[in-house]
């Protein structure tokens, strides 16, 4: 039986949808007369303020542009939520399957992980290096998380904000409390 990875399908669909929405919004913006473009992009200006000043076709173009821009923003937020979920699953699985401390996990680099052997080198208490093993589920989620990253930071787990920085113990503890 073939295993269908719903998270990857959802992420790929969201990314494709986001790109389509963003492209369409750009096309709509190009149809708006130049003198109204800045105002159209400024969502703080109500559409009613254009009535009497712009023709009906321009008003409709501004309204459509704003709707598609909002759809695009909504999809971008969903993408960020899916990616956050992938990272969080990887963190939970690594911690649960290895038994390592959060402080040990935040020090891990990508180079410390051996996917073939499902193991990683951990620097523990007293600066003693040891090998810990993770299960197949942790391997799957960790690979998906790493595949979703677009940065070149050597840290295994990084913050969600750009530029990506190594996660901290406090950041992980805070995230775990929210789950």
């Amino acid at each position: 039986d073939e295993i269908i990875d719903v998270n990857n399908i959802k992420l790929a669909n969201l990314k494709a949808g986001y790109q389509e929405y963003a492209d369409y919004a750009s096309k709509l913006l190009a149809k708006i007369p130049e003198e109204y473009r800045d105002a159209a992009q400024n969502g703080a200006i109500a559409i009613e303020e254009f009535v009497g000043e712009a023709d009906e076709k321009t008003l409709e173009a501004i309204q459509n542009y704003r709707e598609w821009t909002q759809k695009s923003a909504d999809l971008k937020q969903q993408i960020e939520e899916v990616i956050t979920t992938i990272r969080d699953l990887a963190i939970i699985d690594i911690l649960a399957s290895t038994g390592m401390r959060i402080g040990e996990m935040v020090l891990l680099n990508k180079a410390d992980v051996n996917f073939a052997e499902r193991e990683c080198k951990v620097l523990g208490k007293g600066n003693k290096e040891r090998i810990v093993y993770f299960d197949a589920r942790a391997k799957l989620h960790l690979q998906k998380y790493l595949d979703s990253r677009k940065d070149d930071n050597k840290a295994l787990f990084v913050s969600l904000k750009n530029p990506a920085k190594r996660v901290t113990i406090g950041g992980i503890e805070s995230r775990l409390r929210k789950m």
Side-chain angles (χ1 to χ4, degrees):
D1 291 336
E2 186 180 334
I3 296 173
I4 298 173
D5 187 352
V6 178
N7 283 335
N8 273 345
I9 291 170
K10 182 178 180 182
L11 183 59
N13 287 341
L14 287 172
K15 284 182 177 179
Y18 168 74
Q19 193 58 54
E20 280 182 39
Y21 284 8
D23 290 347
Y24 190 65
S26 293
K27 288 177 185 175
L28 289 171
L29 184 62
K31 291 180 181 182
I32 297 171
E34 201 168 321
E35 63 266 20
Y36 295 107
R37 284 189 193 155
D38 286 341
Q41 289 175 301
N42 182 352
I45 299 173
I47 196 79
E48 291 79 22
E49 292 183 36
F50 295 107
V51 175
E53 193 177 315
D55 62 20
E56 205 56 42
K57 192 174 180 180
T58 300
L59 289 173
E60 188 176 324
I62 292 170
Q63 186 65 35
N64 284 339
Y65 168 75
R66 287 185 175 174
E67 286 174 12
W68 282 93
T69 301
Q70 185 58 52
K71 288 179 183 181
S72 176
D74 292 346
L75 276 181
K76 187 172 183 177
Q77 184 176 352
Q78 288 180 35
I79 290 168
E80 289 170 358
E81 288 171 5
V82 169
I83 290 174
T84 301
T85 303
I86 292 169
R87 185 192 72 167
D88 293 348
L89 280 171
I91 289 171
I92 291 167
D93 286 343
I94 284 291
L95 289 171
S97 69
T98 64
M100 74 173 82
R101 298 169 184 87
I102 294 173
E104 295 169 334
M105 185 196 69
V106 300
L107 295 175
L108 287 174
N109 292 324
K110 291 186 267 189
D112 296 329
V113 179
N114 179 340
F115 284 106
E117 300 296 322
R118 290 197 333 230
E119 65 183 27
C120 51
K121 286 187 277 183
V122 174
L123 190 62
K125 285 188 171 182
N127 283 335
K128 291 182 182 175
E129 195 173 275
R130 71 180 197 280
I131 301 292
V132 295
Y133 299 91
F134 49 89
D135 60 21
R137 177 184 162 106
K139 176 184 176 181
L140 175 73
H141 289 145
L142 188 55
Q143 285 177 320
K144 280 198 293 188
Y145 164 65
L146 291 174
D147 289 344
S148 74
R149 281 180 45 186
K150 302 296 180 219
D151 63 88
D152 55 358
N153 193 312
K154 67 179 184 175
L156 185 60
F157 292 104
V158 295
S159 62
L160 299 173
K161 295 180 179 170
N162 286 325
K165 296 180 181 172
R166 183 180 298 274
V167 293
T168 63
I169 295 172
I172 296 298
E173 289 174 342
S174 172
R175 188 74 190 134
L176 290 173
R177 276 193 295 273
K178 290 179 184 176
M179 291 182 205

